[in-house]
Amino acid sequence: MSEHDALDDLLRHAQPRPVPAPEDMAAVKAVVRDDWEAMTGRRVVRRRFMQFAIAATVVLGTFVALNVSQRASEGTITVATIAKSTGPIYLLGESAELRPTDNTDTVMAGQTIVTGVDAGLALAWGNGGSIRIDEGTRVRFDSNELLFVERGRVYVDSRGSFIEGTHPENGAKLAILTRFGEIQHLGTQYMAAVDQGEGALIVSVREGRVAVDGRFYDETIVAGQQGTWAGQQRPSVLSISSAGPAWDWVGRTTPPVDADGKTLYQFLTWVCREMGLELRFEGQTEHIAHDAILKGSIDTSPAEALRLRLATAALKSRIEGDVIYISTE
């Protein structure tokens, strides 16, 4: 008996299966499309790609049932809470329509968020850490450990200290996937930008290091470096500043923080993390910072909060390069 005859005989003995509902078939097609886009965005030699190819030979009915079940299960998982939003923020609907996120304070697995002009979003990630999303960005939350960035800029602070709703002791278990490669971090603050116009992935690191498993080349980027992946070229790595205009949008998306009972020293440490600056004290100002206790919460940009809080302690600051100096004059 030939291989084809054996398969025909097997199918004749199989019990008839119910025809899936149209909405289930649409969901399955979306899952297969999303998985294919994600997998083809990685290097073709990756083991996960091979596993995907092998899995595609499984009986269609089983594949459909498993993926519909997985999609429904993922939709019930809360991956993050919205700590702050500005400007127009949309959820991508089932028919690719954009729906405003009015009265939405959580993000679920499987959802796609699109930010409009002059918009920004700050998320407290469920596994710990803080994530910021810039204007003109489109991201999909595949699971509580995987974020797909189609276009735009995101910023990750895996520790997210001082931010309400985060758990800095856990460290954010999060990988960022793009069509250019996958980004894994280790105790890190970094920015990932997908530039569709230039056809490139740009990763900038403030703290720690990140490993990028590129579609064609891998590279590890450390604090003070920026890597660019474009086409089949080897990634270019340049030195960058941890502060400055390229990072300004992060401050605009800083969510409210609870400063009540914190010392001025803790506050200044938080400001420096948010602004990418090194903290230095002059004279006896460090002792003053340890003794001063703050009250209330902070719901302004880190730069504005710094100005106001230092004024109450009769202290001043100046920024030179990537260093902020605290003084009495």
Side-chain angles (χ1 to χ4, degrees), residues 194-222:
V194 176
D195 188 330
Q196 288 187 318
E198 296 294 331
L201 166 66
I202 304 171
V203 180
S204 308
V205 183
R206 264 186 171 175
E207 175 186 281
R209 60 190 177 92
V210 299
V212 181
D213 185 358
R215 187 175 179 183
F216 299 100
Y217 296 100
D218 301 340
E219 189 72 51
T220 297
I221 308 297
V222 300

mmCIF file of all heavy atoms in Angstrom, residues 194-222:
data_model
loop_
_atom_site.group_PDB
_atom_site.id
_atom_site.type_symbol
_atom_site.label_atom_id
_atom_site.label_comp_id
_atom_site.label_asym_id
_atom_site.label_seq_id
_atom_site.Cartn_x
_atom_site.Cartn_y
_atom_site.Cartn_z
ATOM 1 N N VAL A 194 11.702 50.409 16.410
ATOM 2 C CA VAL A 194 11.553 49.771 15.108
ATOM 3 C C VAL A 194 11.208 50.861 14.104
ATOM 4 O O VAL A 194 10.121 51.439 14.146
ATOM 5 C CB VAL A 194 10.459 48.691 15.129
ATOM 6 C CG1 VAL A 194 10.251 48.118 13.731
ATOM 7 C CG2 VAL A 194 10.826 47.576 16.099
ATOM 8 N N ASP A 195 12.157 51.155 13.234
ATOM 9 C CA ASP A 195 12.005 52.214 12.234
ATOM 10 C C ASP A 195 11.614 51.566 10.908
ATOM 11 O O ASP A 195 12.447 50.991 10.209
ATOM 12 C CB ASP A 195 13.312 52.988 12.093
ATOM 13 C CG ASP A 195 13.177 54.232 11.220
ATOM 14 O OD1 ASP A 195 12.331 54.212 10.310
ATOM 15 O OD2 ASP A 195 13.909 55.209 11.456
ATOM 16 N N GLN A 196 10.331 51.639 10.581
ATOM 17 C CA GLN A 196 9.879 51.015 9.342
ATOM 18 C C GLN A 196 10.413 51.743 8.113
ATOM 19 O O GLN A 196 10.697 51.118 7.094
ATOM 20 C CB GLN A 196 8.347 50.985 9.300
ATOM 21 C CG GLN A 196 7.732 49.988 10.270
ATOM 22 C CD GLN A 196 6.237 49.872 10.071
ATOM 23 O OE1 GLN A 196 5.549 50.854 9.882
ATOM 24 N NE2 GLN A 196 5.725 48.654 10.121
ATOM 25 N N GLY A 197 10.540 53.082 8.219
ATOM 26 C CA GLY A 197 11.039 53.843 7.085
ATOM 27 C C GLY A 197 12.449 53.437 6.702
ATOM 28 O O GLY A 197 12.760 53.251 5.521
ATOM 29 N N GLU A 198 13.316 53.314 7.712
ATOM 30 C CA GLU A 198 14.707 52.930 7.469
ATOM 31 C C GLU A 198 14.883 51.420 7.418
ATOM 32 O O GLU A 198 15.937 50.932 7.023
ATOM 33 C CB GLU A 198 15.601 53.503 8.565
ATOM 34 C CG GLU A 198 15.642 55.018 8.605
ATOM 35 C CD GLU A 198 16.284 55.612 7.371
ATOM 36 O OE1 GLU A 198 17.159 54.939 6.777
ATOM 37 O OE2 GLU A 198 15.921 56.727 6.986
ATOM 38 N N GLY A 199 13.871 50.671 7.873
ATOM 39 C CA GLY A 199 13.986 49.216 7.896
ATOM 40 C C GLY A 199 15.050 48.753 8.868
ATOM 41 O O GLY A 199 15.964 48.017 8.488
ATOM 42 N N ALA A 200 14.944 49.204 10.128
ATOM 43 C CA ALA A 200 15.992 48.897 11.091
ATOM 44 C C ALA A 200 15.434 48.765 12.499
ATOM 45 O O ALA A 200 14.382 49.312 12.838
ATOM 46 C CB ALA A 200 17.073 49.985 11.071
ATOM 47 N N LEU A 201 16.157 48.022 13.320
ATOM 48 C CA LEU A 201 15.919 47.932 14.757
ATOM 49 C C LEU A 201 17.072 48.638 15.456
ATOM 50 O O LEU A 201 18.240 48.352 15.184
ATOM 51 C CB LEU A 201 15.866 46.472 15.213
ATOM 52 C CG LEU A 201 15.948 46.222 16.733
ATOM 53 C CD1 LEU A 201 14.715 46.779 17.433
ATOM 54 C CD2 LEU A 201 16.103 44.732 17.031
ATOM 55 N N ILE A 202 16.732 49.577 16.355
ATOM 56 C CA ILE A 202 17.750 50.334 17.084
ATOM 57 C C ILE A 202 17.546 50.099 18.575
ATOM 58 O O ILE A 202 16.478 50.376 19.116
ATOM 59 C CB ILE A 202 17.658 51.837 16.767
ATOM 60 C CG1 ILE A 202 17.754 52.071 15.266
ATOM 61 C CG2 ILE A 202 18.758 52.611 17.502
ATOM 62 C CD1 ILE A 202 17.452 53.503 14.851
ATOM 63 N N VAL A 203 18.581 49.579 19.236
ATOM 64 C CA VAL A 203 18.515 49.270 20.669
ATOM 65 C C VAL A 203 19.531 50.135 21.398
ATOM 66 O O VAL A 203 20.729 50.091 21.095
ATOM 67 C CB VAL A 203 18.793 47.785 20.937
ATOM 68 C CG1 VAL A 203 18.722 47.494 22.439
ATOM 69 C CG2 VAL A 203 17.798 46.900 20.185
ATOM 70 N N SER A 204 19.051 50.928 22.368
ATOM 71 C CA SER A 204 19.906 51.828 23.149
ATOM 72 C C SER A 204 19.828 51.422 24.616
ATOM 73 O O SER A 204 18.732 51.271 25.151
ATOM 74 C CB SER A 204 19.448 53.278 22.986
ATOM 75 O OG SER A 204 19.321 53.627 21.620
ATOM 76 N N VAL A 205 20.984 51.269 25.271
ATOM 77 C CA VAL A 205 21.021 50.752 26.639
ATOM 78 C C VAL A 205 21.524 51.814 27.609
ATOM 79 O O VAL A 205 22.607 52.380 27.422
ATOM 80 C CB VAL A 205 21.912 49.497 26.735
ATOM 81 C CG1 VAL A 205 21.891 48.934 28.153
ATOM 82 C CG2 VAL A 205 21.442 48.434 25.744
ATOM 83 N N ARG A 206 20.731 52.061 28.642
ATOM 84 C CA ARG A 206 21.110 52.989 29.715
ATOM 85 C C ARG A 206 21.839 52.265 30.843
ATOM 86 O O ARG A 206 22.772 52.780 31.433
ATOM 87 C CB ARG A 206 19.858 53.637 30.303
ATOM 88 C CG ARG A 206 19.502 54.988 29.755
ATOM 89 C CD ARG A 206 18.334 55.580 30.502
ATOM 90 N NE ARG A 206 18.123 56.963 30.117
ATOM 91 C CZ ARG A 206 17.120 57.711 30.526
ATOM 92 N NH1 ARG A 206 16.215 57.195 31.352
ATOM 93 N NH2 ARG A 206 17.014 58.963 30.133
ATOM 94 N N GLU A 207 21.359 51.096 31.167
ATOM 95 C CA GLU A 207 21.867 50.366 32.333
ATOM 96 C C GLU A 207 21.852 48.878 32.037
ATOM 97 O O GLU A 207 20.958 48.381 31.353
ATOM 98 C CB GLU A 207 20.975 50.673 33.546
ATOM 99 C CG GLU A 207 21.316 49.898 34.808
ATOM 100 C CD GLU A 207 20.304 50.150 35.910
ATOM 101 O OE1 GLU A 207 20.400 51.202 36.559
ATOM 102 O OE2 GLU A 207 19.413 49.292 36.106
ATOM 103 N N GLY A 208 22.838 48.163 32.576
ATOM 104 C CA GLY A 208 22.873 46.720 32.386
ATOM 105 C C GLY A 208 23.281 46.334 30.981
ATOM 106 O O GLY A 208 24.090 46.998 30.340
ATOM 107 N N ARG A 209 22.664 45.283 30.463
ATOM 108 C CA ARG A 209 22.986 44.838 29.109
ATOM 109 C C ARG A 209 21.793 44.082 28.530
ATOM 110 O O ARG A 209 20.944 43.566 29.258
ATOM 111 C CB ARG A 209 24.233 43.947 29.099
ATOM 112 C CG ARG A 209 24.127 42.682 29.930
ATOM 113 C CD ARG A 209 25.481 41.995 30.062
ATOM 114 N NE ARG A 209 25.435 40.819 30.904
ATOM 115 C CZ ARG A 209 25.218 39.593 30.461
ATOM 116 N NH1 ARG A 209 25.022 39.386 29.164
ATOM 117 N NH2 ARG A 209 25.206 38.560 31.291
ATOM 118 N N VAL A 210 21.747 44.022 27.212
ATOM 119 C CA VAL A 210 20.719 43.255 26.528
ATOM 120 C C VAL A 210 21.379 42.392 25.454
ATOM 121 O O VAL A 210 22.401 42.766 24.876
ATOM 122 C CB VAL A 210 19.653 44.163 25.874
ATOM 123 C CG1 VAL A 210 18.955 45.007 26.919
ATOM 124 C CG2 VAL A 210 20.257 45.029 24.786
ATOM 125 N N ALA A 211 20.777 41.233 25.227
ATOM 126 C CA ALA A 211 21.244 40.337 24.177
ATOM 127 C C ALA A 211 20.210 40.359 23.062
ATOM 128 O O ALA A 211 19.018 40.120 23.306
ATOM 129 C CB ALA A 211 21.425 38.928 24.713
ATOM 130 N N VAL A 212 20.643 40.651 21.859
ATOM 131 C CA VAL A 212 19.745 40.695 20.711
ATOM 132 C C VAL A 212 20.038 39.496 19.817
ATOM 133 O O VAL A 212 21.150 39.346 19.306
ATOM 134 C CB VAL A 212 19.902 42.006 19.917
ATOM 135 C CG1 VAL A 212 18.931 42.018 18.746
ATOM 136 C CG2 VAL A 212 19.664 43.208 20.812
ATOM 137 N N ASP A 213 19.047 38.633 19.690
ATOM 138 C CA ASP A 213 19.137 37.483 18.793
ATOM 139 C C ASP A 213 18.580 37.924 17.452
ATOM 140 O O ASP A 213 17.386 37.834 17.182
ATOM 141 C CB ASP A 213 18.325 36.319 19.374
ATOM 142 C CG ASP A 213 18.469 35.039 18.563
ATOM 143 O OD1 ASP A 213 19.163 35.080 17.533
ATOM 144 O OD2 ASP A 213 17.892 34.017 18.956
ATOM 145 N N GLY A 214 19.464 38.484 16.626
ATOM 146 C CA GLY A 214 19.040 39.066 15.368
ATOM 147 C C GLY A 214 18.670 38.033 14.336
ATOM 148 O O GLY A 214 18.990 36.846 14.465
ATOM 149 N N ARG A 215 17.988 38.494 13.306
ATOM 150 C CA ARG A 215 17.582 37.585 12.234
ATOM 151 C C ARG A 215 18.789 36.986 11.526
ATOM 152 O O ARG A 215 18.757 35.830 11.100
ATOM 153 C CB ARG A 215 16.703 38.360 11.242
ATOM 154 C CG ARG A 215 16.072 37.493 10.176
ATOM 155 C CD ARG A 215 15.123 38.292 9.313
ATOM 156 N NE ARG A 215 14.523 37.480 8.278
ATOM 157 C CZ ARG A 215 13.693 37.937 7.349
ATOM 158 N NH1 ARG A 215 13.379 39.219 7.331
ATOM 159 N NH2 ARG A 215 13.184 37.134 6.431
ATOM 160 N N PHE A 216 19.865 37.768 11.425
ATOM 161 C CA PHE A 216 21.062 37.277 10.764
ATOM 162 C C PHE A 216 22.286 37.274 11.678
ATOM 163 O O PHE A 216 23.173 36.435 11.518
ATOM 164 C CB PHE A 216 21.357 38.122 9.516
ATOM 165 C CG PHE A 216 20.272 38.076 8.491
ATOM 166 C CD1 PHE A 216 19.351 39.109 8.375
ATOM 167 C CD2 PHE A 216 20.145 36.990 7.641
ATOM 168 C CE1 PHE A 216 18.336 39.075 7.432
ATOM 169 C CE2 PHE A 216 19.137 36.936 6.692
ATOM 170 C CZ PHE A 216 18.230 37.985 6.582
ATOM 171 N N TYR A 217 22.355 38.225 12.634
ATOM 172 C CA TYR A 217 23.506 38.325 13.529
ATOM 173 C C TYR A 217 23.046 38.605 14.960
ATOM 174 O O TYR A 217 22.059 39.314 15.175
ATOM 175 C CB TYR A 217 24.458 39.447 13.082
ATOM 176 C CG TYR A 217 25.097 39.226 11.731
ATOM 177 C CD1 TYR A 217 24.589 39.865 10.598
ATOM 178 C CD2 TYR A 217 26.185 38.385 11.595
ATOM 179 C CE1 TYR A 217 25.161 39.667 9.359
ATOM 180 C CE2 TYR A 217 26.775 38.170 10.357
ATOM 181 C CZ TYR A 217 26.252 38.817 9.232
ATOM 182 O OH TYR A 217 26.830 38.604 8.005
ATOM 183 N N ASP A 218 23.778 38.035 15.913
ATOM 184 C CA ASP A 218 23.521 38.278 17.329
ATOM 185 C C ASP A 218 24.530 39.291 17.863
ATOM 186 O O ASP A 218 25.649 39.412 17.350
ATOM 187 C CB ASP A 218 23.648 36.986 18.143
ATOM 188 C CG ASP A 218 22.674 35.908 17.677
ATOM 189 O OD1 ASP A 218 21.691 36.274 17.014
ATOM 190 O OD2 ASP A 218 22.904 34.731 17.985
ATOM 191 N N GLU A 219 24.126 40.004 18.900
ATOM 192 C CA GLU A 219 25.033 40.972 19.520
ATOM 193 C C GLU A 219 24.537 41.267 20.927
ATOM 194 O O GLU A 219 23.337 41.270 21.191
ATOM 195 C CB GLU A 219 25.068 42.269 18.711
ATOM 196 C CG GLU A 219 26.137 43.257 19.137
ATOM 197 C CD GLU A 219 27.532 42.793 18.740
ATOM 198 O OE1 GLU A 219 27.741 42.446 17.553
ATOM 199 O OE2 GLU A 219 28.400 42.796 19.629
ATOM 200 N N THR A 220 25.488 41.496 21.853
ATOM 201 C CA THR A 220 25.150 41.927 23.201
ATOM 202 C C THR A 220 25.532 43.390 23.345
ATOM 203 O O THR A 220 26.669 43.768 23.051
ATOM 204 C CB THR A 220 25.886 41.090 24.265
ATOM 205 O OG1 THR A 220 25.456 39.720 24.165
ATOM 206 C CG2 THR A 220 25.581 41.600 25.664
ATOM 207 N N ILE A 221 24.566 44.219 23.777
ATOM 208 C CA ILE A 221 24.765 45.657 23.925
ATOM 209 C C ILE A 221 24.785 45.985 25.410
ATOM 210 O O ILE A 221 23.936 45.518 26.172
ATOM 211 C CB ILE A 221 23.636 46.452 23.234
ATOM 212 C CG1 ILE A 221 23.462 45.984 21.788
ATOM 213 C CG2 ILE A 221 23.937 47.946 23.273
ATOM 214 C CD1 ILE A 221 24.654 46.221 20.919
ATOM 215 N N VAL A 222 25.746 46.787 25.834
ATOM 216 C CA VAL A 222 25.880 47.142 27.249
ATOM 217 C C VAL A 222 25.584 48.626 27.439
ATOM 218 O O VAL A 222 25.388 49.370 26.477
ATOM 219 C CB VAL A 222 27.294 46.812 27.766
ATOM 220 C CG1 VAL A 222 27.590 45.324 27.614
ATOM 221 C CG2 VAL A 222 28.352 47.637 27.033
#
